[in-house]
Amino acid sequence: MSNSSRDSAEGAGWGSAEPGAYRALMPPRTEKLSWLNPSTLWAARNGVLASWLGDPTGHTRSRWVARRAAAGAPPDKVIRRDDPDRFSFLVVGDTGEGDDPQYAVVPGLLKAGRDTRFAVLASDVIYPVGSADDYGTKFFRPYRDYRAPIYAIPGNHDWYEDLGGFMRVFCDDAEPLPPQPAPRPFSRARLRSLLWHRPRPDDGRHLDEARKLRSAPEQLAAQPGPYWAVDAGPVRIVGIDTGLLGTVDAEQGAWLREVSAGDRPKILVTGSPLYVDGEHHPCAIEGGGTVDDLVRDPAHHYVAAIGGDIHNYQRYPVDVDGRTVQYVVAGGGGAFMHATHTIPRVSVAGVTEDDFRSYPLRGDSLAFYSALYGRRLRLRRLLTLTEAEATAVIAERLGIRTGRAPGGGARVTLRTRIVAGLLGTARRPERRKRLRLPVRKLYTSVFSPGSATYSPPFFKCFLRLDVTPEAVRLRCYAATGNRAQEEDPPVEDEVTIPLV
């Protein structure tokens, strides 16, 4: 097994002279998606409109689910497979930008996942707005050589065109929903309707041709809707749809309570992680209660909750009444990298820095962003930190033992401290109070936004879960875009989760 980022800087992908072969998988021309582009932000406006003028996704979801039920989908929305008691599957989150970072994941995924029975895409299958015609280069082409079914749960970006593309691809529901009566004049709903982004009338005209890339019988799968459960071997995998705003509607909540009952061990897959960036986000259910209430209930036998949406890897082993539930963030499957250096020293639900795991390591995240902004602002000599300098300043600011020790005799200087502050690096709690909250938010939101890059290392990742009647072994594999990690994907984190 190759070195990981915890072993060496080379294992993290720094300093590699040989890029991977992933570009041979890409189309001749790819879209360079930028979240700093006003037209992209305008197309993705529905999330903002839903938060200001009311969220219609619960009603829309209910209409999709009702139509799938009328077409013969199982009422309990459970996919019953014939997997043996010992099998493996993949989880990949936030995949579909269709550019270098997404395709860089594919070679390692095919190697590490060659004997897996299926894969699950956890949130944001297609960026920026879930258009059906984007599935060709952002789903069918990258995963054409994965010879097993792929199930998916939508993320907020898949909802930006009312889930039409997602339902066509994963649920075989080809027709758009019929129009609803117009809301009453001068209402918030009417204003929302007037501003709402909708798909082009001809969206999906290339979809039939794109489907041919994943048309082998062993690749085909149809799921009963945007939320579902899979009974596979000794476990049940429960996938929930958290829509535009990271919540669950009452109808889906009632289903979740039903499907969570029973002694069978369960793994939750959700579009919104329940623990992330050192904070607890239990995910409200319309009408009362939270998703995490159901996960924590010992009668439901959840052993893990895996969420996408945030584009990195994090793991929180939380003690719940004497048993450990593994809460995992797994959104590093292809979209731009969300920073980990902005995560404060972890102390949540009894989980401390000694228990917490992340990928990329905070020092690698800070070095990545310093290089990115050094190039963009043409201030390389001022802003760019080596991975050793970044690791050293992380250790000082957070007062933690970093996952990899700083190398090369790195010193923390005034310049490295200033750069770390500008890029939103967290501080230890007792010192963080000295920095006014609005200033810290400015650092984090302005100087460290989500931004794409097109040269390795990318710090992408995917999960492989090996299931037996006794336990699930969860491994996080890295994908940097360099040939060394492509040929032998390093394991960045591993945990064995008991089922009995």
Side-chain angles (χ1 to χ4, degrees):
M1 184 180 297
S2 63
N3 284 345
S4 73
S5 69
R6 293 180 173 270
D7 299 316
S8 65
E10 292 76 17
W14 296 115
S16 175
E18 190 173 8
Y22 68 88
R23 288 196 172 183
L25 306 174
M26 298 175 65
R29 299 183 63 183
T30 58
E31 173 191 11
K32 300 299 185 183
L33 182 63
S34 172
W35 292 104
L36 303 178
N37 186 329
S39 65
T40 302
L41 296 176
W42 176 243
R45 63 188 178 272
N46 286 359
V48 175
L49 293 175
S51 65
W52 289 352
L53 302 173
D55 183 4
T57 54
H59 177 67
T60 305
R61 182 188 296 115
S62 180
R63 296 175 68 205
W64 281 120
V65 169
R67 198 161 78 175
R68 291 295 299 137
D76 60 3
K77 302 171 186 62
V78 177
I79 302 164
R80 292 173 172 87
R81 294 177 49 86
D82 60 353
D83 300 300
D85 283 348
R86 298 174 184 273
F87 75 99
S88 303
F89 68 100
L90 299 174
V91 177
V92 196
D94 298 83
T95 53
E97 285 198 355
D99 51 15
D100 293 56
Q102 178 179 9
Y103 280 86
V105 175
V106 174
L109 181 148
L110 294 176
K111 287 180 181 294
R114 59 186 176 275
D115 60 341
T116 53
R117 303 275 297 192
F118 59 89
V120 176
L121 300 187
S123 182
D124 289 340
V125 180
I126 300 295
Y127 293 94
V129 293
S131 298
D133 274 332
D134 282 342
Y135 273 86
T137 56
K138 300 178 182 181
F139 174 73
F140 289 106
R141 185 182 181 108
Y143 310 120
R144 59 185 172 181
D145 293 325
Y146 180 68
R147 311 302 294 181
I150 297 177
Y151 306 104
I153 56 168
N156 57 312
H157 288 269
D158 300 303
W159 268 101
Y160 287 159
E161 290 191 347
D162 290 335
L163 211 62
F166 182 96
M167 294 299 294
R168 292 177 70 172
V169 170
F170 293 104
C171 303
D172 288 338
D173 198 329
E175 295 298 322
L177 290 173
Q180 292 282 87
R184 59 185 176 83
F186 309 112
S187 65
R188 295 169 69 203
R190 183 61 175 269
L191 178 59
R192 183 187 65 216
S193 177
L194 292 173
L195 296 174
W196 200 251
H197 171 80
R198 293 179 174 84
R200 303 184 315 272
D202 62 345
D203 185 46
R205 63 192 182 280
H206 303 302
L207 193 54
D208 288 342
E209 185 67 23
R211 286 182 189 274
K212 296 176 183 178
L213 296 172
R214 277 188 52 83
S215 59
E218 65 270 20
Q219 294 176 311
L220 301 181
Q223 58 191 57
Y227 57 90
W228 43 260
V230 171
D231 282 349
V235 300
R236 171 169 283 184
I237 303 156
V238 179
I240 62 171
D241 169 17
T242 56
L244 282 171
L245 301 182
T247 59
V248 169
D249 63 280
E251 180 181 313
Q252 184 181 182
W255 168 85
L256 180 59
R257 292 183 176 94
E258 292 177 4
V259 83
S260 297
D263 292 337
R264 191 173 193 149
K266 299 173 187 72
I267 298 169
L268 180 74
V269 182
T270 168
S272 301
L274 304 181
Y275 282 88
V276 61
D277 294 347
E279 298 176 347
H280 183 210
H281 298 271
C283 188
I285 298 175
E286 182 185 13
T290 69
V291 170
D292 201 30
D293 291 338
L294 302 179
V295 171
R296 288 170 171 266
D297 188 336
H300 295 157
H301 297 273
Y302 278 95
V303 298
I306 304 171
D309 188 52
I310 302 301
H311 306 166
N312 53 45
Y313 172 82
Q314 302 173 42
R315 181 169 64 84
Y316 301 81
V318 176
D319 180 84
V320 180
D321 298 327
R323 63 191 178 92
T324 299
V325 178
Q326 299 289 343
Y327 291 87
V328 176
V329 179
F336 67 83
M337 186 191 86
H338 278 131
T340 58
H341 64 268
T342 57
I343 301 173
R345 189 169 65 187
V346 170
S347 179
V348 60
V351 179
T352 68
E353 277 292 328
D354 290 337
D355 312 309
F356 171 69
R357 294 291 182 271
S358 71
Y359 177 78
L361 298 175
R362 289 182 179 95
D364 290 329
S365 171
L366 178 58
F368 173 98
Y369 271 92
S370 73
L372 176 66
Y373 281 96
R375 289 194 304 270
R376 282 191 171 175
L377 302 177
R378 299 183 181 180
L379 295 171
R380 297 190 186 198
R381 294 186 62 183
L382 175 63
L383 290 181
T384 302
L385 303 180
T386 67
E387 56 81 20
E389 290 173 328
T391 301
V393 76
I394 288 286
E396 179 189 82
R397 287 177 68 93
L398 270 70
I400 63 172
R401 184 175 63 251
T402 53
R404 181 179 73 246
R411 295 185 305 111
V412 178
T413 64
L414 177 61
R415 182 183 74 90
T416 59
R417 292 188 180 107
I418 290 174
V419 172
L422 286 174
L423 295 179
T425 305
R427 301 186 72 144
R428 65 186 82 179
E430 64 272 16
R431 297 183 65 186
R432 209 182 316 141
K433 295 176 183 177
R434 302 176 191 173
L435 195 60
R436 290 182 300 153
L437 182 61
V439 178
R440 286 196 289 108
K441 285 189 174 180
L442 177 70
Y443 285 165
T444 302
S445 61
V446 176
F447 287 94
S448 187
S451 304
T453 186
Y454 299 102
S455 60
F458 296 123
F459 298 110
K460 300 290 95 190
C461 61
F462 60 92
L463 307 184
R464 174 183 168 122
L465 289 86
D466 303 307
V467 180
T468 71
E470 297 78 31
V472 174
R473 181 173 64 165
L474 182 153
R475 284 177 286 179
C476 171
Y477 284 90
T480 67
N482 290 319
R483 188 174 293 273
Q485 288 80 35
E486 202 174 76
E487 293 179 346
D488 188 8
V491 175
E492 289 292 336
D493 186 36
E494 180 174 342
V495 64
T496 298
I497 307 169
L499 296 185
V500 295

